[in-house]
Amino acid sequence: MHDLTPQATAALKPGPKHQALTTFIALLEHERQALGNPQVEVLEAIAAAKQVLVNDLHVLCGGTHYATDSASAIEPEVPALARRAQRLNAINATMLAMHRTACESRLRLLRGGDHRANTLYRANGYLGI
């Protein structure tokens, strides 16, 4: 068995962009699962962790969009990882928009829809009896 040179050993280790993006992808996948049965505390923690990772990626890549074009000999897989993260983030954003629309629809229904005279709940949350 051949011993690897320090350069070859370093090439086998994922670089900082690769590590940040794989962590971000894992977090986005966790977020997608959490959106299936939304819990405010879980989603807040995920949002906070995402913000930290986005800030890290801005520093590492010079911006989030730069990551999709920042292939190098050291980390050639970075653009593909960045595109995957963007796709997952778009899917999660769509899921969030669907939840928001459903919630707004329920609130409109509880408040009487477009017929204010039949309002079940007023804006302050009390029954309109």
Side-chain angles (χ1 to χ4, degrees):
M1 187 173 225
H2 297 286
D3 289 330
L4 296 175
T5 65
Q7 293 85 1
T9 303
L12 295 175
K13 294 179 185 175
K17 291 178 192 176
H18 181 280
Q19 290 174 344
L21 282 166
T22 54
T23 301
F24 191 55
I25 288 168
L27 188 60
L28 288 167
E29 289 171 345
H30 179 61
E31 180 182 49
R32 187 180 65 224
Q33 291 171 352
L35 287 169
N37 185 18
Q39 297 175 349
V40 174
E41 298 82 15
V42 172
L43 293 173
E44 284 176 343
I46 291 171
K50 278 176 59 176
Q51 188 59 55
V52 169
L53 283 169
V54 166
N55 291 341
D56 290 348
L57 287 167
H58 274 280
V59 171
L60 289 169
C61 300
T64 53
H65 296 292
Y66 180 72
T68 57
D69 301 323
S70 65
S72 70
I74 298 170
E75 297 183 279
E77 66 288 339
V78 164
L81 289 171
R83 286 189 296 274
R84 182 172 178 211
Q86 287 174 338
R87 282 191 306 273
L88 288 170
N89 199 48
I91 290 168
N92 292 357
T94 300
M95 290 178 72
L96 281 166
M98 290 172 28
H99 281 296
R100 185 190 70 238
T101 301
C103 184
E104 288 170 350
S105 174
R106 288 183 196 113
L107 284 171
R108 239 186 343 272
L109 180 66
L110 289 171
R111 290 183 177 144
D114 294 330
H115 309 289
R116 296 289 175 202
N118 297 330
T119 300
L120 183 57
Y121 291 96
R122 295 184 297 214
N124 63 6
Y126 291 100
L127 287 173
I129 298 176

